[in-house]
Amino acid sequence: MKALLSAILMTALPLALYAGSDGSGSLYLNAGRGYSPFTHATSEGIMLSNTSGEPLLDSIRLAASHTSAILSFRIDNRHAHPGRRYPYTSTDGKRHTAVNPPWELFIEDDSGRKVWITVTSAEKGDITSTEPHTVLTISGSIVGSKPHEIITKQSALPFYGESLWQITLRSGHISIVGGGHEPHLLGDVATELSGISVFGFVSSPAGEILASDISLFSEPSTSDISTTVWSDEELLSDYLAASESEIEGYWEIYDRSLEESLLQLGGEYKTAIVKHHDRYAVIYLSGAKVNSHNWHRGMVKGWLIPGSFPGIYHLEWYDAEGRPLSKSITAQLTEAGILTIRFPYQSSTLRLRRVE
C-alpha cells in the first residue's frame, strides 16, 4: 500500500489550498464551518468510502507551512469489526473482500518528506495479543530506516468506531495522542519533517472512514511569554467578573502528585485564565520561588488550546526558566472548580482550584 500511495502522491494530484478561515493559517473544520476544500467533503465530515482496489486519498495543502503545530481530528472507522468482511473490486474487475481494512493519516513538509501513520485493527488471537487491539505503524521520514510499530490495548484505543486524535509536531518529534473518550499517549518518534505543509487521510480498499472536527494551528512561540495587558489588576478583575466561561477565572494550586526526579514546581503559583483568540492564556500573578526575579505579574505562564477531545485542552507550560514544557500535557475540568493537569512524560499530576 505504501508504494501505491507514494505513486499517487508523486502524481499531479490536485491539492486544495487552505489559507485559514481566520486569516492566520490556522484551520478549523466542523459541521458549522463545513469541510471544504476537501474533495470528499460532506455535511458530516470527509467521507472516504472505498470500494476500489486502490487507496482512496483526500488531502489539502496549507498556504504556509506550520513548523511547530498541533493537528486534531476525529475518525469514525466504519469498516472495522471482528469477523466482518467488506467488499471491493480490484482494477481487473474481480470482486474481493477484506477484514478490518486499515486507514492512514499522512503529513508532508515543504521538501516533500512524508510521514504515514497507519492504523490497523487486529483480531483476537493475533501473535502479539490475545485480545482485539489496534496497531499503529509510523513510517516514512522518521529517524531510522525501520517503521515504528505501536500496539495499543482496546482500553486505550477502540478496535472500531469513533476515536479522537491529536498529532503534535515539535522540535523534530511527532507525538501521538488518541483514544475513545479519554486521551492516551500512544507514541513519540523522532522525525525528519521540518513542518506540516500538506496532510490528508487514506482509506484502504474496502475501507470506510469519516474524518471530522479537524483543527490545525501553530503552537505559541516563546516570545508570547512577555508581560501582557493583564498586568493591570483592575482591568483583569473587571474582565473576569463579566465572564461567564467556566474556565476563565482566578486559579491557584490545589494539590499535586509529582515524580520529583522528573518534575518540580517552581513555586506556589497563582494565575488567571483568560481567552485569547482561539486559545486561553494562563496569566502569572504571583507565587514564583525559583527565578522569582524573572517573573512579573501579567506574564504568560502557559497556553490552553482546545483539542478534539471535548473539555480537554492541550497545555504548553513555561517552566521557571521561561522555557516551554510540553510533551502531550493535557488539562481538563474534572469537576466543578478543579482543573487537572497531566504530565504523562513526567508521570505527574497537578490540580488547580478556581478561586474568587
Side-chain angles (χ1 to χ4, degrees), residues 5-72:
L5 179 55
S6 296
I8 292 175
L9 292 174
M10 292 301 289
T11 63
L13 181 71
L15 295 176
L17 186 66
Y18 195 92
S21 58
D22 60 0
S24 66
S26 298
L27 181 151
Y28 302 94
L29 303 177
N30 52 39
R33 292 172 177 263
Y35 291 94
S36 176
F38 279 94
T39 302
H40 293 83
T42 71
S43 60
E44 295 182 291
I46 302 157
M47 172 63 76
L48 296 178
S49 184
N50 191 1
T51 58
S52 75
E54 299 182 0
L56 179 61
L57 176 148
D58 203 351
S59 61
I60 59 173
R61 181 179 295 278
L62 303 171
S65 179
H66 293 245
T67 57
S68 181
I70 301 170
L71 171 63
S72 298

Side-chain angles (χ1 to χ4, degrees), residues 5 12 31 86 102 123-124 127 129 166 172-173 186 195 251 261 292 294 305 317 326 354:
L5 179 55
Y86 301 91
E123 298 279 5
K124 182 177 180 179
I127 191 170
S129 176
Q166 179 176 288
H173 278 262
L186 302 178
W251 297 83
S261 62
S292 59
N294 290 334
I305 305 168
W317 184 264
S326 183
R354 185 169 180 165

Side-chain angles (χ1 to χ4, degrees), residues 46 60 108 131 245 264 287 303 306 311 320:
I46 302 157
I60 59 173
E108 180 181 343
E131 299 294 334
S245 168
Q264 293 185 3
W303 292 99

Side-chain angles (χ1 to χ4, degrees), residues 94-308:
K94 294 182 179 180
R95 291 181 60 82
H96 305 271
T97 60
V99 178
N100 302 319
W103 63 271
E104 289 185 303
L105 167 76
F106 81 90
I107 300 170
E108 180 181 343
D109 67 11
D110 277 339
S111 300
R113 291 181 290 257
K114 304 176 185 71
V115 166
W116 289 273
I117 301 173
T118 306
V119 184
T120 308
S121 298
E123 298 279 5
K124 182 177 180 179
D126 184 273
I127 191 170
T128 57
S129 176
T130 59
E131 299 294 334
H133 58 279
T134 305
V135 181
L136 273 66
T137 305
I138 309 169
S139 58
S141 296
I142 58 175
V143 176
S145 58
K146 294 183 179 180
H148 189 82
E149 188 173 271
I150 303 165
I151 298 174
T152 70
K153 296 181 179 180
Q154 194 171 1
S155 58
L157 195 61
F159 182 87
Y160 62 93
E162 195 170 75
S163 55
L164 300 149
W165 297 81
Q166 179 176 288
I167 313 297
T168 303
L169 173 65
R170 181 194 306 110
S171 303
H173 278 262
I174 289 179
S175 175
I176 304 171
V177 172
H181 300 288
E182 295 288 335
H184 296 270
L185 179 63
L186 302 178
D188 186 281
V189 297
T191 179
E192 299 169 355
L193 286 183
S194 62
I196 301 178
S197 298
V198 178
F199 77 93
F201 304 94
V202 184
S203 179
S204 298
E208 182 174 293
I209 60 172
L210 178 70
S212 60
D213 296 328
I214 301 166
S215 65
L216 184 145
F217 44 83
S218 294
E219 288 193 292
S221 68
T222 54
S223 63
D224 292 329
I225 196 170
S226 58
T227 302
T228 66
V229 66
W230 302 117
S231 59
D232 186 318
E233 183 175 357
E234 184 176 356
L235 179 66
L236 178 61
S237 177
D238 289 346
Y239 172 82
L240 292 178
S243 174
E244 297 180 356
S245 168
E246 62 179 348
I247 197 165
E248 286 189 304
Y250 293 103
W251 297 83
E252 63 181 18
I253 293 176
Y254 179 44
D255 60 20
R256 72 209 76 182
S257 176
L258 305 181
E259 178 56 61
E260 294 196 356
S261 62
L262 301 174
L263 182 69
Q264 293 185 3
L265 285 180
E268 295 294 326
Y269 298 116
K270 293 184 178 180
T271 65
I273 296 178
V274 296
K275 190 172 179 62
H276 182 79
H277 299 301
D278 59 343
R279 60 196 66 179
Y280 293 88
V282 182
I283 304 298
Y284 171 81
L285 300 179
S286 65
K289 294 181 179 178
V290 179
N291 291 329
S292 59
H293 58 285
N294 290 334
W295 287 94
H296 309 285
R297 183 184 180 89
M299 295 178 70
V300 175
K301 186 61 179 170
W303 292 99
L304 288 168
I305 305 168
S308 55

